[in-house]
């Protein structure tokens, strides 16, 4: 594009705006405002402004669905006169988010030289802090809704629905041809004009071999993840940072690979650019819906770590040993979970486990009603190998008394391989929340794995594993009372070495989803401050109306905690040291030595 | 093909021939005498029934004026059909149809260019006969020479043939759709192969 053209566009845009400001805005004009008198000189393609231009048909008033004027709202939000863009080649990145203009924690943090602990030195701006809180409070009843009901409630919204624009966080997935694939809210078909707009924005930069990453407006942040043949976009008012939102888009992208593999995704669009991917993904929307929801209410995704089940080392180890002894010949992982927590995992010696893959597996288990059946499905673990499928056998284990009581008293190390599994007395079967997942590369291995599960289930029962598990389930969750620290409300402890974390039970006020969401939001804020700060920041806190939340980061751990807002930061800081000491003494938090084969 | 059907339809043609007007007439049943050049692109969505199937047409209206064509190649990517529009009262707009078609085929590079679903619309037939510069015969001859492209004479103003034209292109595009790509199940992973180790691996 020539400079002349850009000049023209600029002129056109000015003319248009002056005469038609506020009218139907349907066309997009982007121009390089910094081009002529380059203020941001570091790169050749620094785009500082994005402008929506007004255009034809302004005297037509639209009322029915999917009209130009309906897109306007989005465009206006998407691209504002004063919005700033950050793009990959731009090294200078300015943030214009109003909240952060008014209140910058950076200003409050006074770095203490030669110390690994730094904290805010001034409580001054509490009003502004409260503003952050208030702006991040959700007023939806989403948390208590099943994904099915959620779809039912919001699934038919489109650009005209007044509620649609109000959602705090949208996720869109489209093909690089601009065809809709997924929208968190609303019917993606009806949003296809919007998808076209998104594609146009992306192509505009594509022409110059540039990539758009993020648009900041005073109210919204729009983050792009370009993974040709797919584009993923998040439009958020949640105050999460670009990095945090990008990570969420990466999760959604990996969720698609989970169902398709990268090989297939590439091949499909190589064969047919215009392919409508929804036809291959149908049935997996629920995974995306659940992920989108969990980003705001589950700390695993922020922490990039696995939630572990607290259990005595001997019990954890004997579970691992049993799993390993009775495992099928040809598997990748054997995974035992309790709800969303990992009890133990067995794996090949040379193979590591990536938390992201585990998150996708746990998301699959928890999103579907596997409860009473043995399920068998092809899945792809993107971090392990994005190119091929594995087959996942998933089944919840039953707790039962063996009908043959004599047998249960006999030597527990009986070799079972020769016997056929003893059928349990059906009247005494008790379902548990303990779930066994076995991953095999062999698509015909179902019966083998199913038999193996029966064996494991039985040997677990013989050894009272399930009984012992169910006994400690109440104690497995970390209780805030364990610390004996007054005013302490919530703690998350993450081991950086093991990439696992543990969290205290959600006691009041955090038993309320909206409060917990707020807490998580404040942790996210602290996380972004710690990881976004130039100097080696180790400690950060934030005082709000509802709580005092803190984050302390060291090489081997991250410790998040929340206190009553009425205690002083000094007390909280000293308490944090005690909490850390307490954690250091525990040996039952994480899977430290998993069984390998 | 199961459940969901969405067609990406691109409208091309010289500036002022009535592309935006045709789209507006089709989707909103509205017409305006005012002319505002399209800059970049306009997007509208319409749901239609074609042979008992619910189809979503995603309409990409482009800029006829060259200086406003800033969106580049990526824009045409993955189009399912293309509408070529000219003004029957404007010779030049007819003569450039060749360019628009060639340009599209180059940029979009569809798998089977010879059978790609095009449609030609001769617009503004509501104006007096005396102004007309291209006869129906001439236009149809051109369409014939390009592999039998369907031809419609339309008026965005009077809503003549607009519905029919879109219906036709949707039907033609769906016929192309019929050759569904083979679903090749990708191979299972081999456990023996060394997997590349990622940084964020868990040490458990
Ligand atoms: N009489 C008559 N006028 C028409 C018809 N269709 C469009 N017009 C007029 O022609 C002018 C141009 O129409 P547009 O639809 O904006 O043209 P366009 O092809 O979109 O032009 P660009 O956006 O510049 O590419 C407008 O003044 C319309 O009112 C028609 O069928 N009959
Ligand atoms: Mg136009």
């Amino acid at each position: 594009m020539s400079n002349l053209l850009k000049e023209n566009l600029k002129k056109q845009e000015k003319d248009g705006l002056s005469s038609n400001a506020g009218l139907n805005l349907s066309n997009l004009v982007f121009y390089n405002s910094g081009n002529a008198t380059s203020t941001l000189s570091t790169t050749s393609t620094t785009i500082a402004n994005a402008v929506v231009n007004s255009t034809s048909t302004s005297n037509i008033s639209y009322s029915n669905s999917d009209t130009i004027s309906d897109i306007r709202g989005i465009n206006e939000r998407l691209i504002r006169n004063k919005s700033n863009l950050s793009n990959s080649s731009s090294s200078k990145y300015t943030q214009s988010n109003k909240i952060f203009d008014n209140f910058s924690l950076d200003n409050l943090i006074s770095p203490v030289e030669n110390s690994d602990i730094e904290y805010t030195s001034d409580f001054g701006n509490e009003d502004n802090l409260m503003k952050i809180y208030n702006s991040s409070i959700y007023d939806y009843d989403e948390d208590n809704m099943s994904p099915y009901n959620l779809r039912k409630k919001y699934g038919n919204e489109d650009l005209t629905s007044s509620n649609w624009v109000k959602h705090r966080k949208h996720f869109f997935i489209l093909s690089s041809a601009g065809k809709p694939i997924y929208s968190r809210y609303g019917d993606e078909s009806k949003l296809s004009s919007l998808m076209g707009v998104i594609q146009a924005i992306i192509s505009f930069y594509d022409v110059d071999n540039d990539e758009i990453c993020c648009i900041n407006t005073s109210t919204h942040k729009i983050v792009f993840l370009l993974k040709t043949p797919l584009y993923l976009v998040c439009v958020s008012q949640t105050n999460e940072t670009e990095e945090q939102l990008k990570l969420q888009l990466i999760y959604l992208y990996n969720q698609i690979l989970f169902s398709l593999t990268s090989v297939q995704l590439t091949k499909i669009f190589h064969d047919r650019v215009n392919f409508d991917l929804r036809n291959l993904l149908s049935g997996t929307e629920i995974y995306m819906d659940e992920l989108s929801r969990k980003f705001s209410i589950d700390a695993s995704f922020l922490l990039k770590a696995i939630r572990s089940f607290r259990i005595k080392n001997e019990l954890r180890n004997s579970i691992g040993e049993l799993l390993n002894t009775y495992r099928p010949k040809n598997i990748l992982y054997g995974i035992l979970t309790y709800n969303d927590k990992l009890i133990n995992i067995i794996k090949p010696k040379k193979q590591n486990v990536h938390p992201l893959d585990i998150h996708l597996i746990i998301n699959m288990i928890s999103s579907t009603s596997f409860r009473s059946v043995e399920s068998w499905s092809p899945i792809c673990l993107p971090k392990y190998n994005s190119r091929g499928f594995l087959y996942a056998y998933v089944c919840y284990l039953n707790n039962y008394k063996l009908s043959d009581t004599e047998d249960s008293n006999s030597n527990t190390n009986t070799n079972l391989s020769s016997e056929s599994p003893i059928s349990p007395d059906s009247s005494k079967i008790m379902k548990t929340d303990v779930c066994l997942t076995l991953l095999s590369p062999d698509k015909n291995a179902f019966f083998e794995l199913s038999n193996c599960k029966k064996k494991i289930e039985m040997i677990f029962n013989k050894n009272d594993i399930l009984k012992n598990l169910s006994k400690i389930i109440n104690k497995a969750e970390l209780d805030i009372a364990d610390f004996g620290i007054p005013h302490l409300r919530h703690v998350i402890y993450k081991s950086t070495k093991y990439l696992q974390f543990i969290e205290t039970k959600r006691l009041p006020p955090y038993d309320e989803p909206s409060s917990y969401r707020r807490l998580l939001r404040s942790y996210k804020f602290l996380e972004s401050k710690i990881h976004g700060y130039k100097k080696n920041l180790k400690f950060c806190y934030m005082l709000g109306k509802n709580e005092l939340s803190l984050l302390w980061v060291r090489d081997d751990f991250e410790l998040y905690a929340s206190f009553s807002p009425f205690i002083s930061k000094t007390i909280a800081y000293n308490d944090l040291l005690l909490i850390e000491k307490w954690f250091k003494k525990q040996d039952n938090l994480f899977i430290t030595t998993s069984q390998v084969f | 093909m199961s459940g969901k059907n969405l067609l990406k339809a691109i409208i091309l043609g010289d500036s002022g021939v009535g592309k935006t007007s045709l789209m507006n007439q089709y989707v909103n049943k509205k017409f305006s005498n005012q002319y505002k050049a399209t800059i970049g692109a306009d997007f509208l969505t319409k749901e239609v029934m074609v042979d008992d199937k619910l189809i979503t047409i995603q309409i990409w209206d482009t800029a006829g004026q060259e200086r406003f064509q800033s969106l580049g190649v990526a824009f045409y990517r993955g189009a399912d059909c293309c509408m070529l529009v000219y003004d029957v009262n404007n010779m030049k707009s007819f003569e450039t149809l060749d360019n628009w078609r060639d340009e599209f085929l180059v940029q979009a590079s569809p798998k089977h260019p010879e059978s790609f679903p095009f449609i030609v619309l001769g617009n503004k037939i509501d104006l007096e006969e005396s102004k007309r510069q291209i006869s129906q015969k001439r236009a149809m001859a051109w369409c014939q020479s390009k592999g039998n492209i369907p031809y419609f004479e339309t008026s965005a103003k009077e809503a003549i043939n607009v519905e029919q034209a879109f219906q036709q292109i949707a039907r033609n595009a769906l016929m192309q759709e019929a050759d569904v790509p083979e679903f090749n199940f990708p191979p299972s992973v081999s456990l023996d192969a060394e997997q590349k180790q990622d940084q964020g691996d868990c040490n458990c």
Side-chain angles (χ1 to χ4, degrees):
Chain A
M1 222 182 345
S2 68
N3 275 342
L4 184 69
L5 173 57
K6 284 186 174 145
E7 285 304 311
N8 272 335
L9 287 177
K10 209 149 110 181
K11 189 169 168 297
Q12 168 75 25
E13 178 269 337
K14 271 191 202 128
D15 297 344
L17 276 188
S18 55
S19 58
N20 285 312
L23 292 172
N24 296 295
L25 310 172
S26 66
N27 284 354
L28 299 172
V29 171
F30 303 93
Y31 70 98
N32 213 335
S33 74
N35 216 28
T37 53
S38 187
T39 46
L40 307 174
S41 53
T42 42
T43 60
S44 56
T45 54
T46 306
I47 293 104
N49 268 356
V51 176
V52 186
N53 191 23
S54 56
T55 179
S56 58
T57 59
S58 55
N59 55 342
I60 299 173
S61 75
Y62 301 104
S63 56
N64 50 352
S65 64
D66 294 324
T67 63
I68 292 174
S69 60
D70 300 321
I71 307 172
R72 182 196 58 191
I74 310 301
N75 281 354
E76 272 179 342
R77 283 170 183 80
L78 272 176
I79 303 108
R80 282 179 184 246
N81 266 352
K82 275 192 67 189
S83 62
N84 287 328
L85 281 90
S86 77
N87 59 341
S88 57
S89 50
S90 161
S91 61
K92 178 153 183 171
Y93 168 55
T94 45
Q95 205 168 26
S96 79
N97 197 318
K98 237 183 203 149
I99 287 151
F100 292 100
D101 279 348
N102 293 347
F103 164 74
S104 164
L105 200 66
D106 285 333
N107 302 335
L108 295 179
I109 295 166
S110 60
V112 182
E113 291 300 322
N114 302 325
S115 163
D116 56 2
I117 294 162
E118 302 177 352
Y119 48 87
T120 59
S121 58
D122 180 14
F123 282 126
N125 256 330
E126 189 153 340
D127 277 354
N128 286 325
L129 279 162
M130 275 156 66
K131 208 152 144 196
I132 290 186
Y133 276 103
N134 292 336
S135 67
S136 59
I137 289 173
Y138 252 75
D139 43 7
Y140 295 146
D141 48 353
E142 286 174 2
D143 301 297
N144 304 319
M145 253 199 230
S146 76
Y148 296 103
N149 288 337
L150 214 80
R151 273 274 150 205
K152 224 157 113 197
K153 179 162 180 200
Y154 300 120
N156 280 319
E157 290 178 356
D158 59 31
L159 300 175
T160 53
S161 323
S162 60
N163 200 42
W164 189 82
V165 285
K166 288 189 198 144
H167 293 295
R168 305 302 297 267
K169 187 153 67 185
H170 284 277
F171 288 108
F172 305 111
I173 304 177
L174 51 147
S175 72
S176 51
K179 291 196 172 188
I181 294 171
Y182 172 80
S183 168
R184 182 182 183 192
Y185 299 108
D187 178 339
E188 74 286 333
S189 290
K190 290 180 181 152
L191 299 174
S192 50
S193 312
L194 174 68
M195 303 288 182
V197 172
I198 294 172
Q199 202 265 4
I201 294 172
I202 293 167
S203 336
F204 181 77
Y205 294 96
D206 198 49
V207 173
D208 302 333
N209 279 323
D210 204 349
E211 264 187 31
I212 184 166
C213 293
C214 180
I215 301 175
N216 289 295
T217 77
S218 54
T219 52
H220 288 66
K221 196 183 288 289
I222 303 149
V223 179
F224 297 80
L225 178 68
L226 310 187
K227 292 271 187 191
T228 310
L230 300 186
Y231 296 153
L232 299 95
V233 180
C234 172
V235 179
S236 147
Q237 319 177 53
T238 55
N239 291 338
E240 289 164 284
T241 63
E242 180 182 342
E243 287 68 33
Q244 287 165 352
L245 295 171
K246 188 153 230 154
L247 179 66
Q248 296 173 9
L249 290 176
I250 290 172
Y251 268 108
L252 289 175
Y253 177 67
N254 282 313
Q255 181 65 63
I256 290 190
L257 296 184
F258 186 84
S259 316
L260 289 179
T261 74
S262 61
V263 176
Q264 202 175 328
L265 187 66
T266 320
K267 188 177 180 307
I268 288 163
F269 283 103
H270 179 264
D271 291 353
R272 284 227 337 233
V273 229
N274 60 347
F275 190 74
D276 193 339
L277 196 64
R278 293 175 300 168
N279 291 309
L280 277 187
L281 288 176
S282 66
T284 67
E285 300 95 335
I286 183 167
Y287 298 150
M288 318 276 255
D289 288 348
E290 276 295 274
L291 271 186
S292 311
R293 197 176 64 88
K294 284 177 190 163
F295 293 147
S296 308
I297 53 162
D298 183 341
S300 329
F301 301 97
L302 168 73
L303 299 172
K304 288 176 271 186
I306 302 168
R307 194 185 286 277
S308 66
F309 185 77
R310 185 167 71 142
I311 168 180
K312 283 234 170 57
N313 251 339
E314 307 101 68
L315 185 52
R316 201 192 303 274
N317 287 340
S318 61
I319 287 174
E321 274 160 32
L322 289 174
L323 281 178
N324 207 6
T325 311
Y326 293 95
R327 82 185 142 82
K329 283 189 294 292
N330 190 21
I331 60 162
L332 175 64
Y333 303 139
I335 301 169
L336 199 70
T337 50
Y338 174 80
N339 289 339
D340 55 353
K341 300 186 187 71
L342 190 63
I343 300 174
N344 211 340
I345 182 164
I346 56 169
K347 64 191 179 66
K349 197 180 285 158
K350 57 175 194 269
Q351 201 56 61
N352 280 350
V353 180
H354 199 287
L356 196 143
D357 286 339
I358 301 293
H359 288 161
L360 293 179
I361 292 173
I362 288 179
N363 186 45
M364 169 181 77
I365 298 172
S366 63
S367 304
T368 29
S369 42
F370 282 137
R371 287 281 139 171
S372 48
V373 293
E374 302 174 88
S375 100
W376 181 245
S377 41
I379 63 167
C380 162
L381 297 183
K383 285 290 177 184
Y384 165 70
N385 180 348
S386 69
R387 301 180 54 80
F389 270 135
L390 287 161
Y391 293 81
Y393 172 90
V394 182
C395 188
Y396 283 87
L397 298 183
N398 287 329
N399 196 355
Y400 53 75
K401 272 218 168 68
L402 293 171
S403 47
D404 186 354
T405 45
E406 198 187 321
D407 195 65
S408 64
N409 294 332
S410 68
N411 184 1
T412 51
N413 290 324
T414 322
N415 183 4
L416 280 167
S417 55
S418 55
E419 305 168 28
S420 64
I422 306 157
S423 53
D425 182 346
S426 60
S427 64
K428 288 171 193 152
I429 292 182
M430 267 165 40
K431 292 202 181 327
T432 72
D433 289 324
V434 178
C435 181
L436 178 69
T437 305
L438 301 167
L439 299 176
S440 161
D442 178 4
K443 67 165 179 273
N444 300 315
F446 175 82
F447 290 105
E448 188 196 342
L449 298 195
S450 175
N451 273 329
C452 175
K453 174 235 145 193
K454 282 189 197 115
K455 277 191 225 158
I456 288 172
E457 193 173 55
M458 186 156 59
I459 202 75
F460 272 12
N461 276 296
K462 277 197 164 188
N463 288 291
D464 287 336
I465 298 275
L466 294 168
K467 214 164 87 195
N468 290 337
L469 275 178
S470 68
K471 259 192 238 154
I472 61 153
I473 257 142
N474 292 329
K475 282 176 271 166
E477 269 195 291
L478 213 53
D479 195 325
I480 209 75
D482 296 352
F483 298 96
I485 293 175
H487 306 296
L488 180 65
R489 290 180 176 174
H490 184 260
V491 174
I492 291 179
Y493 182 76
K494 167 185 163 182
S495 154
T496 319
K497 180 176 175 204
Y498 298 114
L499 289 182
Q500 294 167 47
F501 76 98
I502 188 147
E503 177 180 11
T504 52
K505 209 166 16 184
R506 296 182 191 180
L507 297 171
Y510 304 124
D511 52 341
E512 279 286 320
S514 62
S515 313
Y516 185 74
R517 192 189 285 272
R518 186 195 64 231
L519 176 70
L520 209 55
R521 194 68 49 75
S522 76
Y523 286 165
K524 281 179 182 175
F525 183 76
L526 294 173
E527 191 266 352
S528 73
K529 287 297 157 195
I530 288 269
H531 291 117
Y533 200 66
K534 309 137 277 281
K535 297 226 176 87
N536 213 4
L537 190 62
K538 296 289 186 198
F539 179 78
C540 189
Y541 80 88
M542 175 154 121
L543 177 67
K545 189 176 64 178
N546 298 288
E547 62 257 313
L548 169 69
S549 43
L550 309 91
L551 168 57
W552 182 20
V553 175
R554 293 288 293 262
D555 288 341
D556 52 341
F557 69 83
E558 290 173 14
L559 180 58
Y560 294 80
S562 140
F563 290 87
S564 141
F566 302 112
I567 75 156
S568 84
K569 63 171 192 289
T570 325
I571 293 176
Y573 170 63
N574 286 326
D575 286 346
L576 221 52
L577 296 178
L578 293 176
I579 297 169
E580 203 272 326
K581 276 213 187 83
W582 186 91
F583 274 115
K584 275 275 142 66
K585 276 190 288 192
Q586 308 301 309
D587 65 346
N588 58 356
L589 302 176
F590 304 122
I591 306 160
T592 50
T593 46
S594 66
Q595 294 285 324
V596 293
F597 47 84
Chain B
M1 196 127 184
S2 67
K4 294 172 169 174
N5 272 300
L6 184 125
L7 297 176
K8 173 173 176 177
I10 296 208
I11 313 183
L12 296 177
D14 276 5
S15 176
V17 297
K19 298 183 294 298
T20 306
S21 305
L22 284 162
M23 175 172 81
N24 262 325
Q25 178 58 257
Y26 179 57
V27 178
N28 300 316
K29 311 260 181 290
K30 298 262 167 62
F31 177 81
S32 155
N33 275 315
Q34 276 196 11
Y35 168 61
K36 286 269 173 64
T38 301
I39 299 169
D42 260 344
F43 302 90
L44 287 183
T45 305
K46 168 115 172 166
E47 287 185 338
V48 280
M49 294 297 294
V50 178
D51 304 333
D52 298 337
K53 265 193 212 160
L54 182 67
I55 313 287
T56 307
I57 310 183
Q58 184 189 31
I59 309 172
W60 299 50
D61 172 31
T62 62
Q65 290 194 44
E66 205 174 328
R67 60 197 181 113
F68 297 143
Q69 293 161 15
S70 52
L71 295 173
V73 194
F75 200 75
Y76 296 99
R77 190 191 292 148
D80 294 293
C81 51
C82 177
M83 296 184 127
L84 300 169
V85 185
Y86 77 97
D87 177 350
V88 296
N89 314 294
N90 176 339
M91 182 58 83
K92 202 189 138 272
S93 73
F94 177 70
E95 285 166 354
T96 50
L97 282 186
D98 257 320
N99 290 343
W100 284 115
R101 183 175 166 276
D102 293 348
E103 174 81 356
F104 176 83
L105 289 176
V106 170
Q107 305 278 26
S109 48
K111 277 262 142 78
H112 309 288
E114 34 345 294
S115 63
F116 187 85
F118 281 103
I119 193 168
V120 171
L121 308 187
N123 192 35
K124 304 198 189 180
I125 57 160
D126 54 283
L127 295 175
E128 309 107 77
E129 199 49 45
S130 60
K131 286 195 175 167
R132 184 152 180 156
Q133 294 189 7
I134 297 97
S135 68
Q136 181 166 11
K137 217 174 118 198
R138 181 157 173 209
M140 288 178 90
W142 186 86
C143 290
Q144 202 119 52
S145 74
K146 299 294 173 191
N148 261 327
I149 303 180
Y151 176 66
F152 284 84
E153 304 224 312
T154 59
S155 162
K157 188 174 183 174
E158 318 261 278
I160 301 169
N161 267 341
V162 178
E163 194 86 37
Q164 290 85 334
F166 275 92
Q167 195 78 17
Q168 179 75 48
I169 189 99
R171 184 167 291 130
N172 290 4
L174 281 178
M175 266 153 60
Q176 292 268 314
E177 200 86 337
D179 57 326
V180 190
E182 235 174 284
F183 182 90
N184 286 319
F185 224 65
S188 302
V189 296
S190 147
L191 293 186
D192 304 327
E194 277 287 343
Q195 308 291 341
K196 69 167 176 27
Q197 297 291 305
D198 229 287
Q199 283 208 322
D201 281 349
C202 147
N203 283 320
C204 57

